[in-house]
Every structure is written in structure tokens, then in C-alpha cells.
Amino acid sequence: MMARLFGIRIKYYPEFQVQLQAPRVFDYNAREEGLNESKFQYRTTEPGFEASLKQKLPSNTELSADYNHDISRAGLLSDRLSLVFSQEFVRKDPLWLQESLAEKQIWLKKTAQASVDREFEYRVKNTFYSVLEAELIAANAERRYEQEEKFAAESEDKFRSGVIAEYSLLDYQRDLKVSESRLVARKASLDLARSEFASLLQIPYGAPVSLVEPSDPVINGSLFDPRRMVESGMRHELRIAQVRYNMLANAENADYIRNTLLPSVRFEARGDLYRTIGDGVFNTSQPVEGRDLSAALLVTFPLFGSTFEKWNNLRLEEIDRSINENQIDSLFRQEVRDVRNALISLNEIQARHSVAKDIEKLAAREFEISRLRFELGSVGSFDVIRSKNEYFNALDELTTLRYALLRRLAEIERDYPPESMNPGLALLK
């Protein structure tokens, strides 16, 4: 896109051209009416040289210069220099529209690239959180398995001693097998998360990677203000940016079409300098020099066919703009809904995470008491297994909600970033 914009701007660069004509056949035939009716015939095959310069300026000004020269100085016209200056006062420069649309295309590309960058950052964070979450849950499963191995061994000793019945022994053994299956599943989930992380960051599979535990989630009030989030979504979301670009392009095209419906008022000045070498045709031994100067104000009125076509194109641009405005209105309502849903979900996860902390503390205390009573033989297998499962389930739930909150914060950061992350905002203000 930058190269295309540069390609439009270089059209304002001067264009210089040199041409050599050889051989060049030049025939001159003339007849003078009168009593004697003189006739002139002249031919030359001498080479010629021509140079031209054209320059267009952003102010809708055009400059051109042409120079012709007979190399042998034997022709009728040895030297000629033409200079033309043209200035349009009413109509806009056609290259202005191309440059303006190209700049807005660059803004759209930057917005798209920023969206891709934010999506990649979110994927890295999400995968990073998945690895840490899987590590903690796998560690909990391993602790749980070790605890259940201990319970199973102790219950077998108690069964041999006649302290507990066989059905209690079977409860502990069955719970141990369930825990073993859970541990296998948790380790597999951890391996999958690490594999995804290695693939995303393009690091060798199985390479030792040390990940730092993130800090506790912090809810920033200004970052999660609904008005700011809606405004950010309207400026950053790619599909909205595409519609906004379409609206800007409609406005630029309509403005240019209206301008072309106006009369063209152009000032043009021209100067020609020439020098003719004497020869046998003109029967003079001295060069003849001359100049032609002209200046005029050219006023052109567009009529009929082209005018009707422009009016129709203008109507089409206005229809497209109306359609795009309706789309923006619909997308705005969707954005308000999405922001509201995101904040509701965020508040829910935050509240559940806060409650999960209390549940984990209560479950830990209950499990500690139940384990002591199990050692004293004053509690049945059902109560021990229940309190143990509730404690480790509370640990897993707390871990899951913590990383769910971190993911939700990362999603909001991706979808509703601060204004400083938006490229090319000046074009939309």
C-alpha cells in the first residue's frame, strides 16, 4: 500500500524525454500566386534532436517545455522552443482523489495489521495461561493421587486388623483407580498445552521452558468503562473499519464528482521562440528569429452525456453511503450489546473467583479435620473420600476460575484496546 501511494505521488515528478530523429526526411513545397507564380521545393534528410519536459504540481498546475533542433543547421527550422503554463482554478486535481483514497487504504491496512497483532498476542497469552493452568491442575491431581495412595494403604492395614469392613476398603481402592485415571488425563492435557505453546512460539518440542506465574488479576476501572469500550470497539474492530473506509471513500468520490460538474476555469499561457537559418529557399543570408506569445482564460462547461453520467454516479455514491451508514448503526448496536455481555461475564467470573477462594479455605479445613479423624478411626470411608474430593475439586475450580478471569481480561484487552494502539486516528476525526 505504501508503494502504491508512492506510485501516485511520483506522478507529480517531472518527466523529461529526449528523442533523436535520424534519418529524418523533410519536404517543403510552396507556391506563390501571382503573375510569375513562383514555386519552391526543398528536401532535407538531416537528423534532428528533440527534448521535452512535463511537470504536474499538486496545485493542479501543469508545465511543459519542448525544444527542437536540426543538428546540421541545414533545415528550414533550426531551433524552436515552446513553453506552456496552465493553471486550473475551480476543478480539483484528479490525482488528489487517488492519493486520498490510497492514504485511507493504508490506514485500513494498518488497522487490519493491528488487529492481527492483537489476535496473536491474545493467542500467546491464552496458550501461556493454558500451560500454567494445566501444570497446576496436574500438580493437584498428583497430590490427590499421592493422598489417595496413602488412604488406600492405611485402609488395607485397617481392614487386615479388622478395624474397617471390606466395603470401606473397596471404596478407597476404587477412589484410587479413579484418581489414577484422572492423573493420566491431566498429564495428557498438560502435554497438549505445552505442544501448542511450542508450536505457536516455534520452539523445539520438549524444550525446557520456565514460565513465570502471572500476578493476581486486577480490574482497572478506567479500562473497563462501558463508554470507552464501545468507542474503542468502533475504532478498532476490523469489520467496522472496513465500513468506515467505505463511507470515507463514498464521501471523497461524491465530492470529486460534484466538483467535476462545475465549469472548468483554466488560465493558459504559451510562448514559442524560433530561429530559422537562411538557405536557398528563402534567399536570405541572415537568420530569421521570431516569437509567438499567447495568454487566455479558458472556460469549459460540461453538458449533456458526460453530465448525466456524473449525476448518476453521484446518486450511486449517495446510495452506497446510506447503506454504509445503516450498517454502522447496526454494528454500533451490536457493539453495545457485546460490551454489556463482556462486562456481565467479567463480573460473573470475578465474583465466582472470589467465592471460590472462600470455598477452598473451608474445604481445606474440613479435609484436614476429616484426615485426622480418619487416622483415629472415627470417620467412615464415605466422609473421608467426600471431604478429600471436595477439597481437591475446590482447588481445581479456584485454578480454573483464576485463569478464566485472566483470559477474559486478555479478550477485553484484545477487543477494546486503549486509543494509543489505534493507527491513523487522525483520518477519522
Side-chain angles (χ1 to χ4, degrees):
M1 287 298 169
M2 294 295 293
R4 290 177 182 175
L5 178 60
F6 179 73
I8 295 173
R9 290 176 175 171
I10 62 176
K11 294 181 181 180
Y12 291 114
Y13 288 7
E15 180 181 355
F16 184 71
Q17 180 175 309
V18 177
Q19 185 177 32
L20 180 65
Q21 300 175 353
R24 180 182 62 168
V25 179
F26 180 78
D27 283 329
Y28 179 81
N29 294 279
R31 184 180 66 183
E32 181 181 352
E33 295 184 359
L35 296 176
N36 296 327
E37 293 189 354
S38 302
K39 294 183 179 181
F40 302 94
Q41 292 183 348
Y42 180 80
R43 166 173 286 192
T44 178
T45 57
E46 302 296 339
F49 171 81
E50 179 181 349
S52 63
L53 174 68
K54 294 182 180 180
Q55 171 75 64
K56 184 175 180 61
L57 301 176
S59 57
N60 213 0
T61 303
E62 295 182 3
L63 303 173
S64 64
D66 292 281
Y67 174 72
N68 293 277
H69 174 68
D70 288 326
I71 295 178
S72 67
R73 302 179 62 87
L76 291 176
L77 185 61
S78 269
D79 295 278
R80 187 179 189 92
L81 175 65
S82 298
L83 301 174
V84 181
F85 170 83
S86 178
Q87 175 65 60
E88 172 65 47
F89 294 104
V90 177
R91 293 187 176 180
K92 294 183 178 181
D93 185 358
L95 294 181
W96 159 81
L97 178 62
Q98 299 180 30
E99 183 177 11
S100 178
L101 294 179
E103 289 176 348
K104 292 175 177 58
Q105 277 282 354
I106 291 176
W107 164 80
L108 183 60
K109 281 292 184 181
K110 287 182 177 180
T111 302
Q113 184 60 50
S115 178
V116 172
D117 292 343
R118 293 196 308 273
E119 177 64 27
F120 178 74
E121 291 173 2
Y122 168 75
R123 288 184 59 191
V124 172
K125 285 184 179 180
N126 186 47
T127 309
F128 169 70
Y129 293 152
S130 296
V131 173
L132 291 177
E133 180 185 5
E135 285 180 349
L136 290 177
I137 291 181
N140 290 342
E142 192 165 357
R143 285 178 52 201
R144 188 172 187 171
Y145 181 74
E146 291 174 355
Q147 185 64 59
E148 286 160 352
E149 273 189 325
K150 181 179 178 181
F151 283 157
E154 291 180 1
S155 62
E156 188 171 353
D157 292 340
K158 290 182 179 182
F159 172 72
R160 291 175 181 174
S161 301
V163 177
I164 63 174
E166 185 179 3
Y167 71 86
S168 297
L169 174 63
L170 295 176
D171 285 340
Y172 291 117
Q173 291 178 344
R174 183 187 65 251
D175 195 54
L176 177 62
K177 288 299 180 180
V178 172
S179 181
E180 183 179 0
S181 176
R182 182 185 300 107
L183 180 60
V184 172
R186 296 292 187 264
K187 288 184 176 181
S189 298
L190 176 58
D191 291 339
L192 289 174
R194 287 174 174 172
S195 176
E196 180 66 22
F197 190 71
S199 175
L200 186 62
L201 297 186
Q202 299 182 7
I203 58 179
Y205 293 101
V209 178
S210 178
L211 302 181
V212 180
E213 183 75 16
S215 58
D216 290 335
V218 178
I219 308 299
N220 188 335
S222 60
L223 185 63
F224 299 97
D225 176 64
R227 182 183 296 274
R228 187 211 68 81
M229 292 174 64
V230 171
E231 292 178 352
S232 178
M234 292 296 293
R235 293 183 183 277
H236 290 81
E237 189 171 343
L238 187 56
R239 59 174 180 169
I240 297 178
Q242 180 63 62
V243 179
R244 291 172 71 88
Y245 166 78
N246 294 338
M247 292 179 61
L248 293 170
N250 291 146
E252 297 285 16
N253 290 331
D255 186 34
Y256 181 76
I257 294 174
R258 290 191 192 96
N259 183 257
T260 59
L261 291 170
L262 298 175
S264 172
V265 181
R266 178 182 293 272
F267 172 76
E268 185 173 287
R270 183 183 182 92
D272 292 277
L273 304 177
Y274 55 87
R275 183 172 180 269
T276 304
I277 302 299
D279 48 41
V281 176
F282 290 101
N283 296 320
T284 177
S285 59
Q286 298 296 327
V288 178
E289 297 181 353
R291 64 181 181 182
D292 297 331
L293 302 177
S294 65
L297 189 65
L298 308 178
V299 181
T300 305
F301 294 91
L303 297 173
F304 298 106
S306 63
T307 303
F308 294 133
E309 181 182 359
K310 291 175 182 177
W311 276 111
N312 185 65
N313 292 338
L314 180 60
R315 181 172 176 270
L316 293 176
E317 291 292 342
E318 292 174 347
I319 291 174
D320 289 341
R321 180 174 178 82
S322 177
I323 294 173
N324 290 325
E325 287 175 349
N326 291 334
Q327 288 182 339
I328 284 291
D329 184 64
S330 176
L331 291 172
F332 171 76
R333 291 195 299 271
Q334 294 179 25
E335 198 67 38
V336 172
R337 179 202 63 194
D338 293 342
V339 167
R340 180 176 175 81
N341 293 342
L343 291 177
I344 291 174
S345 176
L346 177 65
N347 292 333
E348 176 203 358
I349 297 175
Q350 185 183 13
R352 290 177 59 197
H353 178 254
S354 179
V355 174
K357 291 181 179 179
D358 298 333
I359 294 176
E360 188 272 336
K361 292 179 182 178
L362 295 172
R365 180 57 180 164
E366 182 185 7
F367 177 50
E368 182 180 1
I369 296 174
S370 177
R371 186 171 52 189
L372 292 174
R373 294 180 63 192
F374 171 77
E375 293 176 358
L376 297 176
S378 60
V379 65
S381 61
F382 176 79
D383 290 332
V384 174
I385 293 174
R386 178 191 58 79
S387 62
K388 180 262 303 176
N389 288 340
E390 288 181 354
Y391 168 67
F392 283 104
N393 289 341
L395 278 179
D396 290 345
E397 181 71 7
L398 180 61
T399 301
T400 299
L401 287 174
R402 181 172 186 269
Y403 284 97
L405 183 56
L406 288 171
R407 288 191 185 92
R408 178 60 67 187
L409 295 177
E411 288 178 3
I412 293 177
E413 183 181 349
R414 175 197 63 185
D415 298 334
Y416 311 102
E419 296 302 326
S420 58
M421 298 178 61
N422 187 31
L425 272 180
L427 292 173
L428 298 178
K429 292 184 179 179

